[in-house]
Amino acid sequence: MNILVINAGSSSLKYQLLDPATGVLLAKGLCERIGIDGKFTYKPQVEGKAALNAIDVAMPTHSEAIQAVLNALVDAENGVLASMSEIDAVGHRVVHGGESFASSVLITDEVMKAIEECNPLAPLHNPANLIGINACTAVLGDKVPQVAVFDTSFHQTMPNVAYTYAIPYEYYENDKIRRYGFHGTSHRFVSARAAAMLGKPIEELNIITCHLGNGSSIAAVKGGKCVDTTMGLTPLAGLPMGTRAGDMDAGVMEFIMNKYNLSMKEMMNVLNKKSGVLGISGISSDFRDLDAAEAAGNARAKLAKDVFAYDVKKYIGSYAAAMGGVDAIVFTAGVGENGPGLRVSMTAGLEYMGVAPLNAEANNKRGVEIDVSGEGSKVRVLVIPTNEELMIAMDTAEIVKAM
Ligand code: AMP
């Protein structure tokens, strides 16, 4: 089966064409500056086919962007498909499914309406996802099935104690203000892979999955179901991230807004774009830059990394408490997969709960699923490259096969 996976943003669209049964990626790429001056990138993963790198393609709307993707995929010289009919289905990443979607679904008119109803919960993302779906329908017609895979749905199994905010309850009743969580596709993918690596049914395992990238979140996965996660109504909650503040005293906002005469919009811009490890270090949101600055003796770069690692460790401890123990801790995404030093600091001092110091040799390997636990560790520490697109393609194939 060939599944086209689409992640549509307001002015960009990422795509991958892959076979969910084998995991083989045929092509991937990116449409950028949609509605502006259209830049198109195409990276075929087949020997002898040439890539296109940020070439000019007129893309006044997402429909032209999807058309450009299809043209590239079936191009006589550098395409990877003989015709468009070889695309069996399209899987869309949709950011917010609210309380309406606890799993991936076949897209119908009713589903489109329900996604639209979640727009107030993710006003920047959901409308763009809907535009992406409509663009695919416009170009591919309604014969090609499309599936929505939500960032939030894996977390819908959280109990009310984990998702209820301690604010007047009517905000939940009237406006559905609660913790939802994000990165669900990644947490689901790596927790399933962790169970496979450990050779045990996921139903018997307590797993803490740490998705640490530019955006970061942690989930407590008990018996294969999410019971808690660090992100909230929006992705601003939980850990400090590349540029997001994560959890802090809400009173800080009032203080800063009053003192510096900031509007709410300006304050949110500070918390979303200027905070996190960028805010603390004053250098960069990228951990590679922080590593270099720390090595050159920069104390604030070190502090930013230390705050991040400390918070990760605090959540690991609290989720072990929430689940009554932990069998495996998984690190994934850019920092989780590529930061051996941070993995050491995030797990240091956890011997009391059965986490031995990491195996240095294993911890320094990259790009593979690997058990980095130290000798005698009761809790397994795993590094698992995430693959959200593959998970989306797998869900899409499963739903389409059952039609
Ligand atoms: P992601 O959002 O999952 O793509 O992760 C992006 C982040 O991963 C970047 O901002 C970097 O901070 C981090 N990252 C990627 N590669 C490395 C690396 N080799 N060493 C340390 N951090 C890395």
mmCIF file with all atom_site columns, all heavy atoms in Angstrom, residues 213-214 286-288 333-335 338 366, ligand 1:
data_model
loop_
_atom_site.group_PDB
_atom_site.id
_atom_site.type_symbol
_atom_site.label_atom_id
_atom_site.label_alt_id
_atom_site.label_comp_id
_atom_site.label_asym_id
_atom_site.label_entity_id
_atom_site.label_seq_id
_atom_site.pdbx_PDB_ins_code
_atom_site.Cartn_x
_atom_site.Cartn_y
_atom_site.Cartn_z
_atom_site.occupancy
_atom_site.B_iso_or_equiv
_atom_site.pdbx_formal_charge
_atom_site.auth_seq_id
_atom_site.auth_comp_id
_atom_site.auth_asym_id
_atom_site.auth_atom_id
_atom_site.pdbx_PDB_model_num
ATOM   1   N N   . GLY A 1 213 ? 12.186 17.302 21.917 1.00 0.00 ? 213 GLY A N   1
ATOM   2   C CA  . GLY A 1 213 ? 12.668 17.898 20.672 1.00 0.00 ? 213 GLY A CA  1
ATOM   3   C C   . GLY A 1 213 ? 12.651 19.395 20.835 1.00 0.00 ? 213 GLY A C   1
ATOM   4   O O   . GLY A 1 213 ? 12.927 19.912 21.917 1.00 0.00 ? 213 GLY A O   1
ATOM   5   N N   . ASN A 1 214 ? 12.297 20.098 19.775 1.00 0.00 ? 214 ASN A N   1
ATOM   6   C CA  . ASN A 1 214 ? 12.127 21.538 19.927 1.00 0.00 ? 214 ASN A CA  1
ATOM   7   C C   . ASN A 1 214 ? 10.902 21.797 20.812 1.00 0.00 ? 214 ASN A C   1
ATOM   8   O O   . ASN A 1 214 ? 10.923 22.631 21.704 1.00 0.00 ? 214 ASN A O   1
ATOM   9   C CB  . ASN A 1 214 ? 11.994 22.175 18.546 1.00 0.00 ? 214 ASN A CB  1
ATOM   10  C CG  . ASN A 1 214 ? 12.173 23.654 18.629 1.00 0.00 ? 214 ASN A CG  1
ATOM   11  O OD1 . ASN A 1 214 ? 12.919 24.149 19.481 1.00 0.00 ? 214 ASN A OD1 1
ATOM   12  N ND2 . ASN A 1 214 ? 11.463 24.384 17.802 1.00 0.00 ? 214 ASN A ND2 1
ATOM   13  N N   . ASP A 1 286 ? 18.462 25.709 20.210 1.00 0.00 ? 286 ASP A N   1
ATOM   14  C CA  . ASP A 1 286 ? 18.989 24.432 19.724 1.00 0.00 ? 286 ASP A CA  1
ATOM   15  C C   . ASP A 1 286 ? 20.024 23.890 20.711 1.00 0.00 ? 286 ASP A C   1
ATOM   16  O O   . ASP A 1 286 ? 21.007 24.570 21.024 1.00 0.00 ? 286 ASP A O   1
ATOM   17  C CB  . ASP A 1 286 ? 19.613 24.641 18.340 1.00 0.00 ? 286 ASP A CB  1
ATOM   18  C CG  . ASP A 1 286 ? 19.905 23.312 17.659 1.00 0.00 ? 286 ASP A CG  1
ATOM   19  O OD1 . ASP A 1 286 ? 20.573 22.457 18.276 1.00 0.00 ? 286 ASP A OD1 1
ATOM   20  O OD2 . ASP A 1 286 ? 19.448 23.136 16.524 1.00 0.00 ? 286 ASP A OD2 1
ATOM   21  N N   . PHE A 1 287 ? 19.783 22.652 21.143 1.00 0.00 ? 287 PHE A N   1
ATOM   22  C CA  . PHE A 1 287 ? 20.669 22.079 22.169 1.00 0.00 ? 287 PHE A CA  1
ATOM   23  C C   . PHE A 1 287 ? 22.099 21.897 21.668 1.00 0.00 ? 287 PHE A C   1
ATOM   24  O O   . PHE A 1 287 ? 23.027 21.860 22.474 1.00 0.00 ? 287 PHE A O   1
ATOM   25  C CB  . PHE A 1 287 ? 20.091 20.747 22.680 1.00 0.00 ? 287 PHE A CB  1
ATOM   26  C CG  . PHE A 1 287 ? 19.003 20.950 23.698 1.00 0.00 ? 287 PHE A CG  1
ATOM   27  C CD1 . PHE A 1 287 ? 17.711 21.288 23.309 1.00 0.00 ? 287 PHE A CD1 1
ATOM   28  C CD2 . PHE A 1 287 ? 19.275 20.846 25.053 1.00 0.00 ? 287 PHE A CD2 1
ATOM   29  C CE1 . PHE A 1 287 ? 16.709 21.502 24.248 1.00 0.00 ? 287 PHE A CE1 1
ATOM   30  C CE2 . PHE A 1 287 ? 18.282 21.055 26.007 1.00 0.00 ? 287 PHE A CE2 1
ATOM   31  C CZ  . PHE A 1 287 ? 16.991 21.379 25.596 1.00 0.00 ? 287 PHE A CZ  1
ATOM   32  N N   . ARG A 1 288 ? 22.274 21.793 20.343 1.00 0.00 ? 288 ARG A N   1
ATOM   33  C CA  . ARG A 1 288 ? 23.650 21.677 19.837 1.00 0.00 ? 288 ARG A CA  1
ATOM   34  C C   . ARG A 1 288 ? 24.420 22.962 20.102 1.00 0.00 ? 288 ARG A C   1
ATOM   35  O O   . ARG A 1 288 ? 25.594 22.936 20.478 1.00 0.00 ? 288 ARG A O   1
ATOM   36  C CB  . ARG A 1 288 ? 23.642 21.365 18.331 1.00 0.00 ? 288 ARG A CB  1
ATOM   37  C CG  . ARG A 1 288 ? 23.244 19.940 18.045 1.00 0.00 ? 288 ARG A CG  1
ATOM   38  C CD  . ARG A 1 288 ? 22.852 19.742 16.619 1.00 0.00 ? 288 ARG A CD  1
ATOM   39  N NE  . ARG A 1 288 ? 21.573 20.394 16.336 1.00 0.00 ? 288 ARG A NE  1
ATOM   40  C CZ  . ARG A 1 288 ? 20.809 20.107 15.290 1.00 0.00 ? 288 ARG A CZ  1
ATOM   41  N NH1 . ARG A 1 288 ? 21.203 19.207 14.433 1.00 0.00 ? 288 ARG A NH1 1
ATOM   42  N NH2 . ARG A 1 288 ? 19.666 20.732 15.103 1.00 0.00 ? 288 ARG A NH2 1
ATOM   43  N N   . ALA A 1 333 ? 12.813 11.709 19.898 1.00 0.00 ? 333 ALA A N   1
ATOM   44  C CA  . ALA A 1 333 ? 12.840 13.027 19.234 1.00 0.00 ? 333 ALA A CA  1
ATOM   45  C C   . ALA A 1 333 ? 14.251 13.632 19.297 1.00 0.00 ? 333 ALA A C   1
ATOM   46  O O   . ALA A 1 333 ? 15.145 13.061 19.931 1.00 0.00 ? 333 ALA A O   1
ATOM   47  C CB  . ALA A 1 333 ? 11.794 13.974 19.801 1.00 0.00 ? 333 ALA A CB  1
ATOM   48  N N   . GLY A 1 334 ? 14.441 14.772 18.636 1.00 0.00 ? 334 GLY A N   1
ATOM   49  C CA  . GLY A 1 334 ? 15.768 15.365 18.411 1.00 0.00 ? 334 GLY A CA  1
ATOM   50  C C   . GLY A 1 334 ? 16.724 15.293 19.594 1.00 0.00 ? 334 GLY A C   1
ATOM   51  O O   . GLY A 1 334 ? 17.828 14.760 19.485 1.00 0.00 ? 334 GLY A O   1
ATOM   52  N N   . VAL A 1 335 ? 16.311 15.824 20.725 1.00 0.00 ? 335 VAL A N   1
ATOM   53  C CA  . VAL A 1 335 ? 17.190 15.855 21.898 1.00 0.00 ? 335 VAL A CA  1
ATOM   54  C C   . VAL A 1 335 ? 17.235 14.477 22.565 1.00 0.00 ? 335 VAL A C   1
ATOM   55  O O   . VAL A 1 335 ? 18.305 13.992 22.961 1.00 0.00 ? 335 VAL A O   1
ATOM   56  C CB  . VAL A 1 335 ? 16.695 16.907 22.917 1.00 0.00 ? 335 VAL A CB  1
ATOM   57  C CG1 . VAL A 1 335 ? 17.634 16.998 24.097 1.00 0.00 ? 335 VAL A CG1 1
ATOM   58  C CG2 . VAL A 1 335 ? 16.527 18.257 22.246 1.00 0.00 ? 335 VAL A CG2 1
ATOM   59  N N   . ASN A 1 338 ? 19.395 12.220 20.386 1.00 0.00 ? 338 ASN A N   1
ATOM   60  C CA  . ASN A 1 338 ? 20.766 12.643 20.041 1.00 0.00 ? 338 ASN A CA  1
ATOM   61  C C   . ASN A 1 338 ? 21.564 13.277 21.168 1.00 0.00 ? 338 ASN A C   1
ATOM   62  O O   . ASN A 1 338 ? 22.646 13.788 20.923 1.00 0.00 ? 338 ASN A O   1
ATOM   63  C CB  . ASN A 1 338 ? 20.717 13.647 18.886 1.00 0.00 ? 338 ASN A CB  1
ATOM   64  C CG  . ASN A 1 338 ? 20.151 13.045 17.635 1.00 0.00 ? 338 ASN A CG  1
ATOM   65  O OD1 . ASN A 1 338 ? 20.703 12.096 17.106 1.00 0.00 ? 338 ASN A OD1 1
ATOM   66  N ND2 . ASN A 1 338 ? 19.032 13.568 17.177 1.00 0.00 ? 338 ASN A ND2 1
ATOM   67  N N   . ARG A 1 366 ? 24.046 6.095  17.982 1.00 0.00 ? 366 ARG A N   1
ATOM   68  C CA  . ARG A 1 366 ? 22.996 6.972  17.452 1.00 0.00 ? 366 ARG A CA  1
ATOM   69  C C   . ARG A 1 366 ? 22.196 6.316  16.351 1.00 0.00 ? 366 ARG A C   1
ATOM   70  O O   . ARG A 1 366 ? 22.701 5.459  15.645 1.00 0.00 ? 366 ARG A O   1
ATOM   71  C CB  . ARG A 1 366 ? 23.629 8.230  16.845 1.00 0.00 ? 366 ARG A CB  1
ATOM   72  C CG  . ARG A 1 366 ? 23.839 9.302  17.862 1.00 0.00 ? 366 ARG A CG  1
ATOM   73  C CD  . ARG A 1 366 ? 24.648 10.425 17.265 1.00 0.00 ? 366 ARG A CD  1
ATOM   74  N NE  . ARG A 1 366 ? 25.357 11.092 18.336 1.00 0.00 ? 366 ARG A NE  1
ATOM   75  C CZ  . ARG A 1 366 ? 25.112 12.319 18.727 1.00 0.00 ? 366 ARG A CZ  1
ATOM   76  N NH1 . ARG A 1 366 ? 24.195 13.026 18.139 1.00 0.00 ? 366 ARG A NH1 1
ATOM   77  N NH2 . ARG A 1 366 ? 25.793 12.863 19.712 1.00 0.00 ? 366 ARG A NH2 1
HETATM 78  P P1  . AMP B 2 .   ? 12.864 17.821 16.839 1.00 0.00 ? 1   AMP B P1  1
HETATM 79  O O1  . AMP B 2 .   ? 11.892 18.877 17.256 1.00 0.00 ? 1   AMP B O1  1
HETATM 80  O O2  . AMP B 2 .   ? 12.503 16.446 17.321 1.00 0.00 ? 1   AMP B O2  1
HETATM 81  O O3  . AMP B 2 .   ? 13.233 17.856 15.385 1.00 0.00 ? 1   AMP B O3  1
HETATM 82  O O4  . AMP B 2 .   ? 14.207 18.158 17.627 1.00 0.00 ? 1   AMP B O4  1
HETATM 83  C C1  . AMP B 2 .   ? 14.948 19.310 17.305 1.00 0.00 ? 1   AMP B C1  1
HETATM 84  C C2  . AMP B 2 .   ? 15.989 19.563 18.371 1.00 0.00 ? 1   AMP B C2  1
HETATM 85  O O5  . AMP B 2 .   ? 16.788 18.394 18.586 1.00 0.00 ? 1   AMP B O5  1
HETATM 86  C C3  . AMP B 2 .   ? 16.974 20.621 17.930 1.00 0.00 ? 1   AMP B C3  1
HETATM 87  O O6  . AMP B 2 .   ? 16.505 21.893 18.264 1.00 0.00 ? 1   AMP B O6  1
HETATM 88  C C4  . AMP B 2 .   ? 18.202 20.266 18.703 1.00 0.00 ? 1   AMP B C4  1
HETATM 89  O O7  . AMP B 2 .   ? 18.173 20.989 19.910 1.00 0.00 ? 1   AMP B O7  1
HETATM 90  C C5  . AMP B 2 .   ? 18.078 18.789 19.010 1.00 0.00 ? 1   AMP B C5  1
HETATM 91  N N1  . AMP B 2 .   ? 19.095 18.007 18.314 1.00 0.00 ? 1   AMP B N1  1
HETATM 92  C C6  . AMP B 2 .   ? 19.056 17.529 17.059 1.00 0.00 ? 1   AMP B C6  1
HETATM 93  N N2  . AMP B 2 .   ? 20.194 16.886 16.770 1.00 0.00 ? 1   AMP B N2  1
HETATM 94  C C7  . AMP B 2 .   ? 20.963 16.950 17.865 1.00 0.00 ? 1   AMP B C7  1
HETATM 95  C C8  . AMP B 2 .   ? 22.266 16.487 18.211 1.00 0.00 ? 1   AMP B C8  1
HETATM 96  N N3  . AMP B 2 .   ? 22.999 15.811 17.337 1.00 0.00 ? 1   AMP B N3  1
HETATM 97  N N4  . AMP B 2 .   ? 22.732 16.741 19.462 1.00 0.00 ? 1   AMP B N4  1
HETATM 98  C C9  . AMP B 2 .   ? 21.977 17.411 20.352 1.00 0.00 ? 1   AMP B C9  1
HETATM 99  N N5  . AMP B 2 .   ? 20.763 17.881 20.086 1.00 0.00 ? 1   AMP B N5  1
HETATM 100 C C10 . AMP B 2 .   ? 20.260 17.670 18.865 1.00 0.00 ? 1   AMP B C10 1
#
